[in-house]
Structure formats: C-alpha cells, structure tokens
C-alpha cells in the first residue's frame, strides 16, 4: 500500500519559515519523481514543486526562490523548505508521486499538513 504522511505545517506570520516533511512507504522512493502539491481554501489543487529521481528540481513561479525541495532516499523522506512565507502560501500541503505534469492525484488524500500564513 502506498502511504505518504506529511508533517511540519503550522500557523506563522508573513516572512517566517517552515520545513515540511513527507515520509513515504509502499513504493521505491529512490526510483520515483516526487512533488509537493497544495490546496488553498476554496481552490483546487496546485502543483508547487517537484524533484526527479535523479535530483533535478522544478518550482512553480509563485514559490521560486523561496521554496527548496529535497529528498533523503535513505530515510524515504521528501522535504520542502519554505522561506519568506506569504499569505498566499496558505493551504494544505501534500506530497505525491510524479513531476510537474504527471503528479498522481490519487496520492492526495484528506491528510496533508496545514500551513497558515497570517499577519
């Protein structure tokens, strides 16, 4: 069974930083492209960032220069470092297999981790 467990979300003020983690089991992460996806209140799912199995990274324009995605294959963990958070970054963050145009929507379940950015 594919299992993705996100953590690290919190309520912060604009300009602050957070580090999200996604612990993965049920498939060989080291062979998989991985993505972070978010859903803002009242909006649809939005791809945020991805990291290919070989390490190449990709970011949405809205987070480029502020967010950093990384992976620790030995720990089966996907990381998202988020710096200089803005109000518009508020949402539920989830991880999924796949890259910018191929992330697996069925990996997005009700969990995720809530990030709230407010003054």
């Amino acid at each position: 069974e594919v299992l993705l467990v996100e953590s690290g979300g919190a309520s912060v003020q604009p300009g602050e930083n957070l580090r999200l983690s996604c612990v993965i089991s049920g498939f060989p992460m080291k062979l998989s492209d991985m993505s972070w996806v978010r859903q803002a209140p009242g909006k649809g799912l939005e791809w945020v960032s991805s990291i290919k199995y070989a390490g190449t990274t990709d970011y949405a324009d809205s987070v480029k220069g502020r967010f950093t995605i990384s992976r620790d294959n030995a720990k089966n963990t996907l990381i998202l470092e988020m710096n200089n958070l803005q109000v518009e970054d508020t949402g539920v963050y989830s991880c999924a297999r796949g890259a910018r145009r191929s992330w697996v929507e069925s990996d997005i379940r009700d969990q995720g981790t809530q990030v709230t950015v407010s003054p």
Side-chain angles (χ1 to χ4, degrees):
E1 178 188 5
V2 173
L3 193 60
L4 304 144
V5 181
E6 302 89 349
S7 63
S11 293
V12 298
Q13 294 185 335
E16 294 187 336
N17 306 330
L18 282 175
R19 184 177 189 265
L20 306 184
S21 298
C22 172
V23 177
I24 292 149
S25 61
F27 66 95
M29 177 187 166
K30 65 181 180 180
L31 300 179
S32 301
D33 300 340
M34 296 296 302
S35 284
W36 283 98
V37 178
R38 68 186 179 189
Q39 186 165 25
K43 296 188 177 181
L45 293 168
E46 175 192 17
W47 172 83
V48 174
S49 178
S50 63
I51 183 167
K52 296 290 186 74
Y53 70 92
T56 303
T57 58
D58 192 12
Y59 299 93
D61 288 345
S62 60
V63 306
K64 196 173 295 182
R66 299 188 297 121
F67 289 12
T68 302
I69 190 171
S70 61
R71 61 196 298 158
D72 185 339
N73 291 335
K75 297 181 179 179
N76 287 330
T77 301
L78 182 71
I79 303 293
L80 186 68
E81 300 274 4
M82 305 188 296
N83 295 328
N84 189 22
L85 282 160
Q86 304 299 312
V87 172
E88 53 267 32
D89 295 318
T90 295
V92 176
Y93 285 70
S94 303
C95 58
R97 292 169 290 176
R100 177 189 282 255
R101 296 177 182 83
S102 63
W103 53 273
V104 180
E105 188 166 348
S106 60
D107 283 350
I108 309 300
R109 301 188 179 96
D110 291 338
Q111 294 96 324
T113 188
Q114 176 70 47
V115 172
T116 302
V117 186
S118 62

